[in-house]
């Protein structure tokens, strides 16, 4: 899809700090993270919402979500994670994406209010590398 920012990232036309690159999906750091290490997982096929996700992509998508939830704990030292996706309402990019956000007790996240932060110079590359290593390698 020509005007989809996630399709542009998948095509390599827009930069991203990639943490997982597999045949059916791609995961990269959110540019405006709730907390540093906040990852977005997207299917490579342009799919707008979860109900649109083809059955043959579903299990792999959620298996990758599980691995990312583990990686934010093992790679970043988080105590847990927040995993979420929006369908149409509050969906800022009309391409299915799953948020995997590292969590620590007392981090200040309450309900569905998502404060945003920014990476300092070089931090995004460092966080992406830590997550790739926790996922089993730094092959990118």
């Amino acid at each position: 899809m020509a005007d989809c920012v996630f399709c542009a990232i998948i095509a390599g036309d827009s930069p991203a700090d990639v943490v997982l690159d597999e045949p059916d999906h791609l995961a990269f750091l959110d540019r405006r993270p709730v907390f540093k290490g906040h990852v977005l997982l997207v299917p490579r096929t342009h799919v707008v919402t979860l109900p649109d996700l083809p059955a043959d992509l579903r299990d792999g998508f959620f298996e990758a979500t599980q691995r990312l939830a583990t990686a934010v704990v093992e790679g970043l030292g988080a105590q847990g994670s927040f995993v979420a996706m929006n369908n149409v309402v509050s969906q800022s990019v009309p391409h299915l994406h799953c948020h995997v956000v590292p969590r620590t007790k007392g981090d200040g996240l309450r309900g569905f209010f998502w404060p945003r932060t920014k990476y300092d110079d070089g931090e995004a590359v460092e966080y992406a590398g830590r997550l790739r290593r926790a996922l089993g390698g730094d092959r990118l």
Side-chain angles (χ1 to χ4, degrees), residues 17-132:
D17 294 292
V18 174
V19 300
L20 184 66
D21 186 350
E22 295 184 339
D24 292 331
H25 41 265
L26 185 75
F28 47 89
L29 295 180
D30 191 306
R31 293 220 182 276
R32 291 179 43 241
V34 174
F35 299 115
K36 292 174 183 179
H38 176 170
V39 176
L40 301 176
L41 174 68
V42 300
R44 288 185 173 279
T45 302
H46 184 82
V47 173
V48 177
T49 64
L50 182 60
D52 301 322
L53 185 66
D56 63 325
L57 297 178
R58 183 182 53 233
D59 290 346
F61 189 80
F62 284 105
E63 187 271 337
T65 302
Q66 282 182 313
R67 288 187 288 137
L68 290 164
T70 300
V72 299
V73 171
E74 293 177 357
L76 304 179
Q79 293 173 325
S81 63
F82 175 69
V83 176
M85 68 179 73
N86 293 302
N87 287 294
V88 181
V89 176
S90 296
Q91 189 177 7
S92 58
V93 177
H95 185 127
L96 176 65
H97 55 286
C98 184
H99 298 261
V100 180
V101 181
R103 295 293 313 274
T104 303
K105 187 174 175 72
D107 60 18
L109 187 63
R110 299 224 187 317
F112 288 98
F113 174 69
W114 292 27
R116 298 297 182 129
T117 189
K118 292 181 179 179
Y119 291 100
D120 294 331
D121 289 340
E123 272 189 323
V125 171
E126 175 198 345
Y127 274 78
R130 289 167 62 187
L131 289 166
R132 282 193 302 271

Side-chain angles (χ1 to χ4, degrees), residues 1-16 26 31 44:
M1 183 146 262
D3 59 345
C4 175
V5 66
F6 291 165
C7 286
I9 290 170
I10 291 163
D13 297 334
S14 290
L26 185 75
R31 293 220 182 276
R44 288 185 173 279

